[in-house]
Short mmCIF file of all heavy atoms in Angstrom, two decimals:
data_model
loop_
_atom_site.label_atom_id
_atom_site.label_comp_id
_atom_site.label_asym_id
_atom_site.label_seq_id
_atom_site.Cartn_x
_atom_site.Cartn_y
_atom_site.Cartn_z
N LYS A 1359 -19.70 -6.65 9.27
CA LYS A 1359 -20.97 -6.11 9.68
C LYS A 1359 -21.15 -6.26 11.19
O LYS A 1359 -21.55 -5.36 11.89
CB LYS A 1359 -22.06 -6.90 8.95
CG LYS A 1359 -23.40 -6.35 9.16
CD LYS A 1359 -24.40 -7.22 8.41
CE LYS A 1359 -25.75 -6.63 8.52
NZ LYS A 1359 -25.83 -5.37 7.80
N LEU A 1408 -29.90 6.56 13.05
CA LEU A 1408 -29.69 6.47 11.60
C LEU A 1408 -29.18 7.81 11.06
O LEU A 1408 -28.26 7.86 10.23
CB LEU A 1408 -31.01 6.06 10.92
CG LEU A 1408 -31.02 5.97 9.41
CD1 LEU A 1408 -29.91 5.06 8.91
CD2 LEU A 1408 -32.37 5.44 8.90
N LEU A 1411 -25.45 8.11 12.02
CA LEU A 1411 -24.60 7.20 11.24
C LEU A 1411 -24.43 7.73 9.82
O LEU A 1411 -23.36 7.69 9.24
CB LEU A 1411 -25.23 5.80 11.19
CG LEU A 1411 -25.29 5.02 12.52
CD1 LEU A 1411 -26.11 3.73 12.33
CD2 LEU A 1411 -23.89 4.66 13.01
N ARG A 1415 -21.03 8.77 7.84
CA ARG A 1415 -20.58 8.04 6.66
C ARG A 1415 -20.51 8.95 5.45
O ARG A 1415 -19.61 8.85 4.62
CB ARG A 1415 -21.47 6.83 6.37
CG ARG A 1415 -20.84 5.97 5.29
CD ARG A 1415 -21.55 4.68 5.10
NE ARG A 1415 -22.83 4.88 4.45
CZ ARG A 1415 -23.64 3.88 4.14
NH1 ARG A 1415 -23.31 2.64 4.45
NH2 ARG A 1415 -24.79 4.11 3.55
N ILE A 1589 -18.03 3.14 8.79
CA ILE A 1589 -18.83 2.07 8.18
C ILE A 1589 -18.74 2.14 6.67
O ILE A 1589 -18.84 3.20 6.08
CB ILE A 1589 -20.32 2.19 8.62
CG1 ILE A 1589 -20.41 2.09 10.15
CG2 ILE A 1589 -21.17 1.10 7.97
CD1 ILE A 1589 -21.82 2.18 10.69
N LYS A 1590 -18.54 0.99 6.07
CA LYS A 1590 -18.40 0.95 4.61
C LYS A 1590 -19.72 1.24 3.92
O LYS A 1590 -20.78 0.93 4.45
CB LYS A 1590 -17.97 -0.46 4.19
CG LYS A 1590 -16.56 -0.79 4.53
CD LYS A 1590 -16.22 -2.15 3.94
CE LYS A 1590 -15.33 -2.89 4.88
NZ LYS A 1590 -15.47 -4.25 5.08
N LYS A 1591 -19.61 1.78 2.71
CA LYS A 1591 -20.81 1.89 1.88
C LYS A 1591 -21.26 0.47 1.61
O LYS A 1591 -20.45 -0.43 1.50
CB LYS A 1591 -20.48 2.55 0.53
CG LYS A 1591 -19.81 3.90 0.68
CD LYS A 1591 -20.79 5.03 0.50
CE LYS A 1591 -20.09 6.35 0.80
NZ LYS A 1591 -20.93 7.48 1.00
N GLY A 1592 -22.55 0.29 1.50
CA GLY A 1592 -23.03 -1.07 1.24
C GLY A 1592 -23.55 -1.75 2.50
O GLY A 1592 -24.34 -2.66 2.42
N GLU A 1593 -23.07 -1.31 3.66
CA GLU A 1593 -23.66 -1.85 4.90
C GLU A 1593 -24.97 -1.10 5.10
O GLU A 1593 -25.04 0.09 4.83
CB GLU A 1593 -22.78 -1.56 6.11
CG GLU A 1593 -21.36 -2.04 6.02
CD GLU A 1593 -21.22 -3.48 6.45
OE1 GLU A 1593 -22.27 -4.13 6.64
OE2 GLU A 1593 -20.08 -3.94 6.56
N SER A 1594 -25.96 -1.78 5.63
CA SER A 1594 -27.22 -1.09 5.85
C SER A 1594 -27.20 -0.32 7.17
O SER A 1594 -27.12 -0.90 8.25
CB SER A 1594 -28.37 -2.09 5.86
OG SER A 1594 -29.50 -1.46 6.43
N LEU A 1595 -27.26 1.00 7.05
CA LEU A 1595 -27.24 1.83 8.27
C LEU A 1595 -28.53 1.64 9.07
O LEU A 1595 -28.51 1.64 10.29
CB LEU A 1595 -27.07 3.30 7.90
CG LEU A 1595 -25.78 3.67 7.17
CD1 LEU A 1595 -25.73 5.18 6.96
CD2 LEU A 1595 -24.56 3.21 7.92
N GLY A 1596 -29.64 1.49 8.34
CA GLY A 1596 -30.91 1.32 9.02
C GLY A 1596 -30.92 0.07 9.88
O GLY A 1596 -31.32 0.09 11.04
N GLN A 1597 -30.41 -1.01 9.29
CA GLN A 1597 -30.36 -2.27 10.05
C GLN A 1597 -29.46 -2.13 11.27
O GLN A 1597 -29.77 -2.65 12.34
CB GLN A 1597 -29.78 -3.36 9.16
CG GLN A 1597 -30.79 -4.38 8.72
CD GLN A 1597 -30.13 -5.36 7.76
OE1 GLN A 1597 -29.00 -5.78 7.96
NE2 GLN A 1597 -30.84 -5.69 6.71
N THR A 1598 -28.35 -1.42 11.07
CA THR A 1598 -27.44 -1.22 12.20
C THR A 1598 -28.16 -0.47 13.32
O THR A 1598 -28.12 -0.89 14.48
CB THR A 1598 -26.19 -0.40 11.76
OG1 THR A 1598 -25.61 -1.04 10.64
CG2 THR A 1598 -25.18 -0.29 12.88
N ALA A 1599 -28.84 0.63 12.95
CA ALA A 1599 -29.52 1.43 13.97
C ALA A 1599 -30.55 0.58 14.72
O ALA A 1599 -30.66 0.65 15.95
CB ALA A 1599 -30.19 2.64 13.33
N ALA A 1750 -26.60 4.28 -0.90
CA ALA A 1750 -25.31 3.60 -0.75
C ALA A 1750 -25.47 2.27 -0.01
O ALA A 1750 -24.58 1.45 0.01
CB ALA A 1750 -24.33 4.51 -0.01
N ASP A 1751 -26.60 2.09 0.61
CA ASP A 1751 -26.88 0.81 1.28
C ASP A 1751 -27.21 -0.28 0.27
O ASP A 1751 -27.48 -1.42 0.63
CB ASP A 1751 -28.11 0.93 2.20
CG ASP A 1751 -27.76 1.60 3.50
OD1 ASP A 1751 -26.59 1.98 3.68
OD2 ASP A 1751 -28.66 1.74 4.34
N ALA A 1755 -34.13 2.15 1.00
CA ALA A 1755 -34.98 1.28 1.81
C ALA A 1755 -36.43 1.74 1.76
O ALA A 1755 -36.73 2.90 1.49
CB ALA A 1755 -34.47 1.30 3.24
N TYR A 1757 -38.31 2.23 4.13
CA TYR A 1757 -38.67 3.16 5.20
C TYR A 1757 -38.26 4.60 4.89
O TYR A 1757 -38.42 5.49 5.69
CB TYR A 1757 -38.04 2.72 6.53
CG TYR A 1757 -36.54 2.55 6.45
CD1 TYR A 1757 -35.69 3.65 6.38
CD2 TYR A 1757 -35.97 1.27 6.45
CE1 TYR A 1757 -34.33 3.49 6.29
CE2 TYR A 1757 -34.59 1.12 6.37
CZ TYR A 1757 -33.78 2.23 6.29
OH TYR A 1757 -32.44 2.09 6.20
#
Side-chain angles (χ1 to χ4, degrees):
K1359 187 181 184 67
L1408 178 54
L1411 292 173
R1415 189 171 72 178
I1589 300 181
K1590 288 186 217 141
K1591 304 261 174 195
E1593 304 274 10
S1594 164
L1595 298 184
Q1597 251 176 42
T1598 306
D1751 281 1
Y1757 55 73

